[in-house]
Amino acid sequence: MSMFSIFHISGSAVSAQSQRLNAVASNMANADTVAGPDGQAYKARQVVFQSVLAQNGTDQTDVGVQVVGVQENQTPGRRIHDPSHQLADADGYVTYSNVNSVEEMVNMISASRSYQNNLEVMGTAKSLLLKTLQMGQG
């Protein structure tokens, strides 16, 4: 593994956390929705990561983290009794999205900190490499 692999690893993590932040933003934007264009309540989405390990003979740019998919949370949404609502069912209940705002805030903070930490790793690695190059100078 070369010294520059750290940039590929941290770069892939930054990209993955960016997608996670986009999913959180989408979830937060739809937290109080009742029905989307398809007529169904919005379901929270979670980004699924997978680590990619270095193997002998493989390209070192493939190591790090990759997003393998986005899963919808299948828990039922909140049901609130409001017979006057235009989207109420026959029993008078309206189904809202299943987004939990508190969980999404925790996910957002976690993703943001991970993003920042990976940027910090790249900055530190860059500084160390520059210091290494300066060792031979008088």
Side-chain angles (χ1 to χ4, degrees), residues 12-99:
S12 68
V14 166
S15 176
Q17 293 300 334
S18 175
Q19 291 186 35
R20 185 176 172 203
L21 284 169
N22 284 338
V24 168
S26 177
N27 289 342
M28 292 295 286
N30 291 295
D32 291 324
T33 59
V34 176
D38 59 353
Q40 300 294 318
Y42 179 84
K43 294 184 178 180
R45 296 183 172 106
Q46 303 293 325
V47 177
V48 180
F49 298 148
Q50 180 181 26
S51 61
V52 179
L53 303 176
Q55 297 176 357
N56 292 338
T58 61
D59 185 9
Q60 294 297 315
T61 60
D62 291 340
V63 297
V65 177
Q66 69 179 5
V67 174
V68 292
V70 177
Q71 292 181 338
E72 285 189 345
N73 185 341
Q74 296 301 322
T75 59
R78 293 176 289 136
R79 288 177 44 97
I80 296 177
H81 189 257
D82 185 5
S84 64
H85 197 281
Q86 65 182 359
L87 296 175
D89 62 11
D91 297 329
Y93 284 94
V94 179
T95 303
Y96 286 82
S97 72
N98 63 356
V99 174

Side-chain angles (χ1 to χ4, degrees), residues 72-129:
E72 285 189 345
N73 185 341
Q74 296 301 322
T75 59
R78 293 176 289 136
R79 288 177 44 97
I80 296 177
H81 189 257
D82 185 5
S84 64
H85 197 281
Q86 65 182 359
L87 296 175
D89 62 11
D91 297 329
Y93 284 94
V94 179
T95 303
Y96 286 82
S97 72
N98 63 356
V99 174
N100 182 333
S101 297
V102 175
E103 287 180 13
E104 295 303 324
M105 290 298 292
V106 170
N107 284 337
M108 181 181 68
I109 291 169
S110 173
S112 175
R113 288 188 178 161
S114 180
Y115 188 96
Q116 290 172 343
N117 288 340
N118 280 292
L119 290 179
E120 196 68 32
V121 165
M122 286 193 282
T124 301
K126 176 185 166 190
S127 296
L128 290 173
L129 288 172

